[in-house]
Amino acid sequence: MKLAHLSDLHLGKRMYEFSLLEDQRYILKQMIHILEEEKPDAVLIAGDIYDKPSPPVEAVELFDDFLVSLTELETSVFVISGNHDSPERLAFGGRLMSRSGVYMAPVYQGEVRPVSLRDKWGSVNIYMLPFLKPAHVRRWYPEEAIASYTEALAAAVAHMRVSPGERNVLLTHQFVTGAVPSDSEEISVGGTEQVDGAVFDVFDYVALGHLHRAQPVGRETMRYCGTPLKYSFSEAEGEKSVTVAELGEKGKIDIRTIPLTPLRDLRERKGTYEEVTAGAGAAAWEGPVKSNDYLHIILTDEEDILEAVRRLRIFYPNLMKLDYDNRRTRGGGEIVPASDLEKKTPLELFAEFYEKQNNQPMSGEQARFVADCIRRIWEEEA
């Protein structure tokens, strides 16, 4: 059985005030062409369909067109909500759409019933588990000790009563420990949302959504397919793709990726104003660059260039971001990578902030007060 794994469309997203709807429409059409050639038995869309819980009309219309195109391929479609989606809005009309082979995950109510597809080796059970917080699971199982995301997902999976002797596929939207995030994701400080991938061991293939880089986590058959477009300049050097997983008999899975080519790429360039604007604009860049690519330019001139953005956009109309890297900016403090921040607890981060603002560390009483505030906020959000 052939499965196409997609996720994190983020329809309606804007980057630095640039609307990406045209780029998203282009890449969705490209994915349809790929799926026409691949002829998958099912398409799995692992959450974050939209960029906001209340998406703009244009984004809803775009997803509607995409679903119609998928049904014309005569393939089954499975969709779950991510942390950016409204699960109630996304689930609306799901029971009607299932008659056309489009399965929208319902709002989580303590159980997940699989949809079974069949091939020559028997059934493949597909479980749809939308983005969950511990509070979502505790509501249905108050008698169980559920404090962390791992405990919540472990409880949710345990109540699915998955048969290990059959082929089982999970479609879910979580941050699995060990995966590498990008700058465009909403990741909790301190790693509180991370889930131990061992809770998904009963599944033959785990189609993950949430992180934007395509990557396996822990094992080849538990993986993120990544976004169809680059949504941050931290992904500028990467490649986007569609993931295809072919399930044979129990225990046999072949996985491959098919590259996607965007309408406009994301590129970064560092140099002086003269270096960046040398030649005819595009000639200043290493490798192929289209004049309409989205760009992040880092100027190394010691003096700020007057009206630099306006002047640079004469050469590069889709300049998204401009930064300076010179003695003045470097003297303003070291930029800490996001990966380093995730290793620190909220209390440690607040303590560093307090010391920088007040030129002295917090007292023991202040630290205890802040720790208590953080604990109460976590309990409310969980």
Side-chain angles (χ1 to χ4, degrees):
M1 182 167 295
K2 183 185 290 189
L3 308 175
H5 176 189
L6 316 174
S7 79
D8 294 88
L9 308 181
H10 286 277
L11 301 181
K13 185 176 180 63
R14 301 180 70 89
M15 281 184 66
Y16 301 97
E17 301 309 312
F18 283 75
S19 170
L20 300 182
L21 273 171
E22 184 182 10
D23 303 83
Q24 292 172 332
R25 184 175 293 107
Y26 179 90
I27 210 68
L28 291 182
K29 288 182 179 179
Q30 189 175 140
M31 288 194 287
I32 289 295
H33 292 318
I34 290 173
L35 297 174
E36 283 177 336
E37 295 181 359
E38 289 292 324
K39 296 180 173 55
D41 299 289
V43 176
L44 314 178
I45 309 180
D48 279 358
I49 308 305
Y50 301 112
D51 195 53
K52 296 180 180 179
S54 299
V57 171
E58 296 84 358
V60 177
E61 292 174 343
L62 183 55
F63 187 55
D64 182 59
D65 290 341
F66 186 56
L67 285 180
V68 170
S69 297
L70 289 175
T71 58
E72 291 173 351
L73 300 179
E74 298 183 353
T75 181
S76 297
V77 182
F78 296 84
V79 184
I80 64 170
S81 57
N83 58 304
H84 280 253
D85 299 311
S86 163
E88 294 81 8
R89 285 189 174 94
L90 207 58
F92 177 78
R95 286 176 292 179
L96 290 174
M97 285 189 279
S98 65
R99 299 175 186 176
S100 299
V102 177
Y103 301 91
M104 311 294 286
V107 177
Y108 183 73
Q109 295 183 338
E111 64 175 358
V112 176
R113 297 179 180 178
V115 176
S116 294
L117 305 178
R118 294 190 63 84
D119 63 10
K120 65 180 180 180
W121 287 288
S123 296
V124 173
N125 304 313
I126 299 179
Y127 293 80
M128 296 185 289
L129 189 64
F131 175 72
L132 293 180
K133 293 182 177 181
H136 298 149
V137 184
R138 275 202 306 267
R139 176 186 176 189
W140 301 101
Y141 303 108
E143 72 285 355
E144 298 189 20
I146 299 173
S148 67
Y149 275 74
T150 293
E151 291 169 344
L153 271 296
V157 170
H159 286 279
M160 292 181 190
R161 296 180 176 83
V162 180
S163 174
E166 299 180 351
R167 292 175 296 167
N168 302 294
V169 173
L170 177 66
L171 184 58
T172 193
H173 190 95
Q174 301 290 161
F175 184 2
V176 176
T177 302
V180 180
S182 303
D183 290 347
S184 54
E185 295 133 12
E186 292 182 1
I187 302 299
S188 64
V189 175
T192 57
E193 291 184 1
Q194 293 190 24
V195 176
D196 186 338
V199 302
F200 304 133
D201 281 351
V202 71
F203 296 99
D204 297 84
Y205 183 77
V206 182
L208 293 167
H210 192 28
L211 300 192
H212 293 180
R213 297 177 189 269
Q215 59 188 298
V217 190
R219 56 184 166 104
E220 285 297 315
T221 54
M222 179 165 61
R223 59 196 303 126
Y224 292 96
C225 64
T227 53
L229 292 172
K230 299 172 184 177
Y231 289 140
S232 74
F233 285 100
S234 66
E235 305 166 64
E237 298 302 320
E239 184 181 72
K240 296 302 181 178
S241 60
V242 172
T243 298
V244 176
E246 295 191 55
L247 281 65
E249 58 186 307
K250 179 74 175 181
K252 293 186 177 181
I253 303 179
D254 178 62
I255 299 171
R256 54 194 170 87
T257 58
I258 303 169
L260 292 167
T261 303
L263 177 64
R264 304 175 182 89
D265 207 349
L266 261 68
R267 295 175 62 86
E268 290 186 306
R269 174 75 196 278
K270 184 175 182 179
T272 65
Y273 179 82
E274 287 190 3
E275 290 171 340
V276 169
T277 57
W285 296 71
E286 295 181 4
V289 59
K290 293 179 288 187
S291 61
N292 64 344
D293 279 349
Y294 295 124
L295 306 177
H296 173 206
I297 293 177
I298 305 168
L299 293 180
T300 57
D301 302 86
E302 290 301 328
E303 298 295 329
D304 288 359
I305 303 299
L306 184 65
E307 296 185 312
V309 171
R310 181 188 65 79
R311 294 167 65 182
L312 285 168
R313 281 183 175 157
I314 296 173
F315 298 93
Y316 310 112
N318 287 330
L319 169 64
M320 278 188 167
K321 184 180 181 184
L322 174 65
D323 286 317
Y324 281 88
D325 182 10
N326 52 32
R327 285 194 297 268
R328 175 179 56 81
T329 59
R330 288 193 293 271
E334 180 183 359
I335 298 175
V336 180
S339 58
D340 290 348
L341 292 177
E342 292 164 16
K343 298 174 184 176
K344 298 182 179 181
T345 67
L347 180 58
E348 290 172 334
L349 292 169
F350 186 86
E352 291 178 3
F353 173 76
Y354 181 92
E355 187 168 350
K356 287 180 180 178
Q357 293 295 312
N358 298 279
N359 295 317
Q360 63 180 2
M362 290 191 295
S363 67
E365 183 180 356
Q366 289 172 320
R368 287 190 294 272
F369 174 77
V370 173
D372 184 62
C373 289
I374 292 171
R375 178 185 58 78
R376 285 188 278 111
I377 290 170
W378 276 3
E379 288 177 351
E380 290 174 2
E381 290 188 347

